[in-house]
Amino acid sequence: MVTMRPMTGIFKRTFILVFCVFCVIAVLTSGMAAYFLYKRMVEEFRSKGVAIAVSIAEGGWDVLLHRDAATVQSTIDNFLDIEGVVYVYVVDARQDILAHTFVPARPESLQHGYPHSEYDISVRNITVESIGSVMEISAPILEGAGGHVHVGMDRGLLNAYFWKVFRNMQLVLGVVFAVCVVLLYFMVRKISRPLTELSDYAAQLAQRDFSGEISIDSKDELGLLARTMQNMAHELSALFSEMHEEVAEATKEVRTSLSYQSAIIDNLADGLLVTDRDGRITLLNPAMREFYALQGIDCTGTKAKHYFPAELARLVAAAQPQEGGTVTAEVPLSDNRTGKALASPIWLEEANGQCLGTVILVRDITHEKALDRLKTDFISTVSHELRTPMTSVLGFAKIIHKKLERDVFPHLDRGDDKTVRAVTQVEDNIGIIVSEAERLTVLINDVLDIAKMESGKAQWRDKLLSMADVVEHSVRSVQGVCREKGLRIETEIEKNLPMVFGDRGRLVQVVLNLLSNAIKFMDEGVIVCRVRRHGDTILTSIADQGVGILADELPLIFEKFKQVGDTLTEKPKGTGLGLPICKQIVTRHKGEIWAESIVGMGSTFHFTLPVARDFKADGSAPGENEDIFCWDEDDALGQEGSAMLVESMDTGQEIQPLILVVDDDPSLGKYLKQLFREEGFRVLVARNGRQALKMASKHLPNLITMDLMMPEMDGKTAIRCLRSNPFTRHIPILVVTALSDTEETGGNVALLKPVDADHLLETANILLRDHDVSRSCIVVGERADFEFDDGLTVFCPSRITFCPPHEIWDHVQEGFKGFVFMPHELADELDLAGLSRQSGVQVLILPEASTDYK
Amino acid sequence: MPKKILIVDDEVHIKMLLEQTLEELEDDFEVELFTASDGEEGLDFIRSEKPDLVFLDIMMPKMNGYEVCRTVMEDDELKHIKIILLTAKGQEVDRKQGLELGAKMYMTKPFDPDEILKVSKEMLNL
């Protein structure tokens, strides 16, 4: 049903305008028509009046002349019946009235004084009292001689007639207009109805209702439009339903894949935690809830730190700033379990690498930890259990040998051949027992070494060292054996080699292994040791002139228990573990090891070690946290600190050691402060790593106790920074940590929280004593060679160690810190520059005058 | 007054080995040898007899070598006593700790009897 719309504004205005125009037209038209009619009527009245006047004047002149008043009266009375005639009267030449039609008498205004033409018909308009506006026509009788006839025509009648015509015209036009409007309305309606219907239909379509039908079947443009619209609607309807189906299908697919994914996430054995950029929890899987006993708690939208331990919350924060930075840490779980958490930022590639948050996977490694501990324990136990009997075997064999030689053999009768043979055999046999036991010991050491290295349990004491020194040291060690075998060793070491970073003992082990291999497989010739720089690495090569190795056996030599050659006919010389151990050690130092050989000509073993500039000075491996930013300002602070140190030394006063306590927990900081105060130390407290760095470089404390988990800068980073600053690197650091896994923190000693007060103080004292630079002195040379002036003993009040020149490096490697005194003639033989580069080591060369040879 | 050397080890053979090794000193110098089989016994002996030199094993029942060493070094009356830690090389980790506790030396098993003799003579200034 089409409803009538309210009249629109424009239609209303148009209608009013049309109405006004119509009114004007109607008034003008009817006015004009009435006016023309009026004019015509006036003319008619005039001619009518004239005719009457003339007919009276001409027809009755004789009567008039006879002054027959009655006849005249009857004549003029007849004319009064004619329409429009108001009065007729006749006057004689003297203007006396002969007859009139007035009732009762002629009005005053007509009685005298009329100027009228004597001889002609005149027409004039006058107003007569009691009659109104009158058109008076006068006609002379006998050219005025007989008087005049006056006829009055009623003009009021004309006016009334005019208005009547005007009114009637208006009425007719009004009716015509009304009819027109009605007709027009219906016509417009007839046109607009389909339009309205179409627009309603379009509106319906716009509301996605395609069910409506349109009932226009005319053949004109509207019909065409309607049909097109209907077709379009059908098309749209089909499209919509198709789309709807597709959307439904896609939704279903999405829902399926979502439920698939959520099923995966829910069934993950690892705990999954997703946070947004503010560290708020957005997703948590059941495993994670189980790990932290959060079942049934709605954690989403809450900051991770509310529900998870600080370690995990820190991990969440740590994974965010670095690009692609994945951070791992061990975190405590509920029920005393341990988890390994891996946090990585979520990067959205489309959004210009915008970070959406962090995803953290936590794996319960309690079992693995236990296994790991078992493995460590196993290695430790096996090592103990194997060594103890070996100790007995070797020890007793040596004692037997000694006792036989000393107490038994001398008393035997050497004359008896049998006895002599028995003695020789016993001596030989004991020798075999000793040498075999020694071999077994080496094997045990090798097996345990490799087991430890492979399981990552080996301890590495990494320091800056000179490869030249390592090689020289090793060569010295085998010099004796070489001389016995008649072999020569030559060393070719490039000058001014950069330092490498590594475990000196292990590197010596590598070189010794390679050297002893060379010696083992050579009967005569020269072994050449070369050390030279090769790009960013130090290349060490050991070339022998032995039997050589077949090319297809070369790749096997670094495998465990692979000794080249026929093991059935040739007695294996060694454990077969030497080279695998070398490989493990070199690989651990991020170097490479390989061999070249020509059968019959000899073999050359090479290994490379990266130059130390890739390492931080404190012991961290390269590539790890390369971009640590230690100092906010320039190292000006450090400079200042050195000046202070000099000052405090100059005053010479006995100053109590200064301890810097670094801990973010205020109560623990306070406790440690009190503890050290009571012991008579001076104490400073820093709340985080960054603060600690500033205070350390400013006040140069004698000892630092360092917490590991701290805000802003953690302990590990702080230690690294302290160690990389030449002014603070000597300060002993006591790590106080709650982490059960102390890993390699870089500190001197690590103590576990809760800290036993006595143990802590004792350790602090040991560290303070050991690092007291002013007290430890080493004098290079034999004691007997020297006679001191008192100066030296005053300078080194307690300990003076004497050591031969080649052992000085061993002392330094073992952590010696203090003064090295060296007679000037020995100065050329040692790597003075390398020595003085070591932290905490000062080299003093004694001039000739201060030493006095016996 | 004879110098006293105490050997603390739970392994009977090792104890015997050390004893036999050090017997040589008994012949040439005024030295007395004592043994103990665990940490507690060793500590009791150290307290009562105040030996001059102690060979101390680390892995022992009741009380380990570190604890014995620490207890001795904490006692003002005992801290002059020279302690040599003897251990299977397995616990290299603890070497530093041992020295920090005040032990004079750290020897790994298997050891050479001659080395033991030499060290003992040095320590006792014989």
Side-chain angles (χ1 to χ4, degrees), chain A residues 619-631:
Chain A
S620 64
E624 184 188 334
N625 293 325
E626 292 273 22
D627 47 352
I628 293 174
F629 191 56
C630 297
W631 305 98

Side-chain angles (χ1 to χ4, degrees), chain A residues 472-758:
Chain A
E472 278 167 358
H473 178 94
S474 313
V475 166
R476 263 198 306 273
S477 314
V478 297
Q479 209 93 51
V481 194
C482 283
R483 254 196 304 273
E484 269 175 38
K485 257 191 114 172
L487 302 170
R488 269 191 309 127
I489 295 192
E490 283 175 8
T491 52
E492 290 174 15
I493 297 171
E494 213 174 270
K495 292 261 182 250
N496 299 322
L497 280 175
M499 305 284 262
V500 295
F501 195 75
D503 184 322
R504 186 172 189 272
R506 297 291 191 184
L507 291 175
V508 167
Q509 194 181 350
V510 172
V511 179
L512 274 181
N513 247 321
L514 297 178
L515 282 175
S516 59
N517 273 349
I519 294 166
K520 220 183 295 178
F521 296 103
M522 250 171 92
D523 295 323
E524 56 178 357
V526 189
I527 299 167
V528 185
C529 296
R530 285 189 195 88
V531 186
R532 61 177 187 274
R533 193 181 173 135
H534 182 78
D536 276 346
T537 59
I538 301 289
L539 174 70
T540 308
S541 315
I542 288 152
D544 64 43
Q545 297 175 343
V547 288
I549 305 160
L550 285 171
D552 52 349
E553 284 173 337
L554 268 178
L556 300 176
I557 55 173
F558 293 105
E559 281 177 32
K560 272 179 278 181
F561 299 108
K562 290 268 180 195
Q563 270 203 332
V564 295
D566 189 347
T567 44
L568 285 177
T569 54
E570 284 172 50
K571 183 172 169 280
K573 301 169 181 172
T575 60
L577 285 172
L579 287 176
I581 288 176
C582 290
K583 190 183 162 85
Q584 285 277 348
I585 295 171
V586 171
T587 311
R588 150 59 178 62
H589 284 85
K590 309 227 178 287
E592 275 178 66
I593 185 163
W594 70 97
E596 292 163 359
S597 183
I598 301 168
V599 176
M601 299 285 286
S603 320
T604 309
F605 284 81
H606 306 272
F607 69 92
T608 59
L609 293 174
V611 166
R613 63 157 186 212
D614 286 340
F615 293 81
K616 306 270 181 230
D618 63 291
S620 64
E624 184 188 334
N625 293 325
E626 292 273 22
D627 47 352
I628 293 174
F629 191 56
C630 297
W631 305 98
D632 285 336
E633 300 105 81
D634 304 347
D635 276 10
L637 279 171
Q639 304 288 350
E640 209 176 287
S642 74
M644 275 182 56
L645 177 71
V646 172
E647 259 168 42
S648 64
M649 278 171 78
D650 283 349
T651 56
Q653 285 173 326
E654 185 69 35
I655 294 174
Q656 286 306 318
L658 177 66
I659 294 180
L660 175 61
V661 172
V662 189
D663 207 307
D664 61 329
D665 178 1
S667 61
L668 190 61
K670 211 168 154 190
Y671 167 71
L672 291 175
K673 186 174 174 178
Q674 202 179 343
L675 192 71
F676 286 127
R677 276 257 167 86
E678 278 167 14
E679 279 292 300
F681 297 123
R682 290 177 299 141
V683 184
L684 285 172
V685 181
R687 292 267 170 264
N688 60 51
R690 201 168 290 289
Q691 209 182 349
L693 291 186
K694 279 188 187 165
M695 289 171 91
S697 60
K698 194 170 174 200
H699 301 287
L700 289 176
N702 303 75
L703 174 72
I704 297 173
T705 75
M706 181 75 75
D707 184 23
L708 286 187
M709 294 292 251
M710 283 183 299
E712 272 199 59
M713 183 189 273
D714 64 18
K716 233 173 135 176
T717 316
I719 292 173
R720 200 166 293 157
C721 290
L722 286 168
R723 293 293 195 229
S724 65
N725 181 347
F727 295 103
T728 54
R729 67 193 306 169
H730 68 280
I731 302 173
I733 296 171
L734 202 168
V735 177
V736 181
T737 175
L739 295 174
S740 54
D741 182 17
T742 52
E743 3 170 11
E744 285 282 325
T745 55
N748 298 63
V749 180
L751 291 180
L752 279 183
K753 286 179 184 176
V755 184
D756 173 49
D758 293 342

Side-chain angles (χ1 to χ4, degrees), chain A residues 383 387 391 395 402 452 766, chain B residues 17 24 89-90 92 100 114:
Chain A
S383 139
R387 272 173 225 276
T391 313
K402 206 166 173 179
K452 272 200 282 186
I766 288 170
Chain B
L17 176 62
E24 257 182 59
K89 209 179 157 196
E92 265 177 308
E100 274 157 7
D114 288 337

